[in-house]
Amino acid sequence: MFPERFSNLPEYAFPRLRTLLDSRPAGGNVVHMTIGEPKHAFPAFVPEVIAENMAGFGSYPPNDGSPQLQQAIGDWVTRRYGVTLDATKQVMPLNGTREGLYNIAMAVCPEEKNGQKPAILLPNPFYQVYMIAAISVGSQPVFVPATRQNNYLPDYGALPEEVLNRTTAAYVCSPSNPQGAVADKGYWRDLLALAEKYDFQIFADECYSELYRDTPPPGALEVAAEIGADPERVVIFQSLSKRSNLPGLRSGFVAGGVETMKRVRQLRAYSGAPLPLPLQRVAERVWSDETHVEENRALYQAKYDAADAVFDGVPGYKGPDAGFFLWLPVEDGEQAAVKLWTETGVRVLPGAYLSRDVEGDNPGQGYIRVAMVAPIDEMTPALITLRDCLYM
């Protein structure tokens, strides 16, 4: 016997893509633009730090992260957002942010609210772990469209009061994946006011925050501190994967109010898998260094300019404000992905694979997601090939 709660899940995006494309021959040299796996160089000092701390593989790592790593993260939050945290009580390193984005619902979301089945709000499209977290704790995932009409950010305030009265949490990704939209301070202020009115928490996935065009995206903790919001209202999630080109290091963190983090640490003590000590030492060093981040950001800024030039004049094109994905309008995402693959060998992800149908409408249906992670001299010709195939 198997649990019914997962019985109607669609196949995950990338196996689904393989089913769609792998039986068809590529129409040219294969170019992968599907997965958001950074390809820029990670900091040169990483191997040296690992080598210096190899003995740490012989010890169990501390479950809550080393004090040095906690402090390095706390110091980064202060530098980046002007918010001071008690690093021992309000910060916990993660073995990748997916762990935290899933377990936060386990740790803090109640079994019912106002005598009803709880709801957890999600943007649509969305990072798929949000939905699984909601289902796993017996909540109703409420999919809220994030479309061009609302600047690709979900309008949770437009939901019926019946839903908001039983909402326990709302996930927000800013900068957003896949669209690259940034929640400004006004958006965060409005959402914090809504959360206060209806008594729910905000789970802010900010893993793309260090890749942007001109202005650093504001953070949820930053705005919460500015307006004096309840510190338990906001939980943020961050990662070294995009900021520092270290997806394989699996170093992220969760930070929030003291009471929230107490419950997060308690669950982690039973079920977590902390980062090995040598990798914690690497993460400590990487969170403390901004030079490599500035260099990395400059590479992405050049890619934004290249993409804007390639797609200049393409109807409906909007370059990302941040992150490293293009969210390109097409008539049908699956058909576009098949055409592109069979005629050129360029491989992209249909937007519908990142979203769910709600009342017969899928906000990702008319899009493809394109990852701009390859070096610019590889990326630009692939984008030109894509444009010529789909838009010319």
Side-chain angles (χ1 to χ4, degrees):
M1 296 181 67
F2 297 96
E4 285 295 318
R5 61 183 175 273
F6 301 129
S7 61
N8 65 344
L9 289 179
E11 193 174 25
Y12 196 69
F14 297 109
R16 192 175 174 186
L17 182 67
R18 291 193 290 271
T19 299
L20 179 70
L21 298 184
D22 284 1
S23 63
R24 310 168 194 264
N29 293 329
V30 175
V31 181
H32 291 281
M33 306 188 83
T34 56
I35 300 177
E37 183 179 71
K39 299 299 183 184
H40 298 165
F42 53 71
F45 57 74
V46 168
E48 176 186 338
V49 177
I50 294 176
E52 290 172 352
N53 292 278
M54 289 288 285
F57 283 119
S59 302
Y60 284 118
N63 206 58
D64 295 345
S66 69
Q68 296 90 340
L69 178 53
Q70 289 176 326
Q71 192 59 54
I73 291 169
D75 291 345
W76 180 82
V77 170
T78 299
R79 291 194 307 273
R80 178 63 172 82
Y81 296 120
V83 177
T84 300
L85 302 177
D86 182 334
T88 64
K89 295 180 179 180
Q90 293 184 264
V91 169
M92 192 178 74
L94 296 170
N95 195 347
T97 47
R98 186 188 298 198
E99 172 205 352
L101 289 164
Y102 178 79
N103 282 333
I104 188 63
M106 292 282 187
V108 304
C109 290
E111 290 79 3
E112 65 173 38
K113 183 178 178 186
N114 293 328
Q116 301 177 80
K117 181 173 182 171
I120 295 179
L121 313 182
L122 321 178
N124 193 22
F126 58 98
Y127 184 33
Q128 302 295 293
V129 72
Y130 308 159
M131 176 182 67
I132 294 301
I135 293 172
S136 296
V137 298
S139 296
Q140 178 195 358
V142 177
F143 304 99
V144 180
T147 64
R148 191 180 185 94
Q149 287 68 39
N150 55 21
N151 193 31
Y152 300 113
L153 295 167
D155 183 5
Y156 292 142
L159 289 170
E161 194 163 69
E162 179 276 326
V163 173
L164 293 169
N165 278 331
R166 56 190 179 88
T167 295
T168 59
Y171 283 94
V172 177
C173 186
S174 176
S176 62
N177 169 12
Q179 310 97 328
V182 171
D184 62 18
K185 288 189 175 184
Y187 182 91
W188 286 124
R189 283 194 294 267
D190 290 346
L191 184 57
L192 283 159
L194 192 72
E196 183 66 28
K197 180 178 179 180
Y198 291 99
D199 191 23
F200 63 82
Q201 288 186 291
I202 298 166
F203 300 156
D205 179 355
E206 299 179 351
C207 290
Y208 295 87
S209 70
E210 304 313 287
L211 308 179
Y212 51 82
R213 288 183 183 259
D214 303 305
T215 305
L221 274 185
E222 173 187 8
V223 178
E226 287 177 359
I227 67 174
D230 180 351
E232 304 298 334
R233 283 284 165 229
V234 174
V235 188
I236 69 165
F237 301 85
Q238 266 287 356
S239 170
L240 291 179
S241 295
K242 287 78 178 174
R243 171 188 181 272
S244 302
N245 303 312
L246 284 166
L249 187 66
R250 310 311 304 139
S251 177
F253 74 81
V254 55
V258 172
E259 290 303 314
T260 295
M261 292 305 300
K262 184 184 298 183
R263 286 161 175 75
V264 170
R265 288 197 304 274
Q266 181 185 44
L267 181 62
R268 185 47 142 28
Y270 282 94
S271 63
L275 205 65
L277 269 172
L279 303 188
Q280 291 196 37
R281 294 299 185 203
V282 172
E284 174 191 338
R285 175 81 177 272
V286 176
W287 281 114
S288 301
D289 181 76
E290 290 296 327
T291 300
H292 76 278
V293 183
E294 294 166 0
E295 294 169 351
N296 187 44
R297 184 159 50 242
L299 295 176
Y300 282 108
Q301 289 168 339
K303 290 181 176 183
Y304 300 149
D305 291 342
D308 289 349
V310 169
F311 294 103
D312 182 39
V314 170
Y317 170 75
K318 181 183 184 300
D321 296 322
F324 53 49
F325 292 118
L326 296 177
W327 189 236
L328 298 178
V330 292
E331 186 171 341
D332 179 275
E334 279 194 332
Q335 292 177 10
V338 169
K339 175 179 173 65
L340 197 58
W341 172 249
T342 56
E343 294 184 11
T344 73
V346 174
R347 197 172 177 102
V348 299
L349 189 68
Y353 292 8
L354 300 169
S355 48
R356 291 297 298 268
D357 290 351
V358 178
E359 298 179 351
D361 182 47
N362 187 314
Q365 183 70 33
Y367 291 88
I368 54 174
R369 191 187 77 172
V370 181
M372 298 191 296
V373 292
I376 193 169
D377 59 344
E378 299 175 21
M379 180 205 78
T380 303
L383 292 184
I384 292 171
T385 297
L386 184 158
R387 179 202 62 194
D388 292 348
C389 178
L390 298 182
Y391 300 107
M392 301 298 284

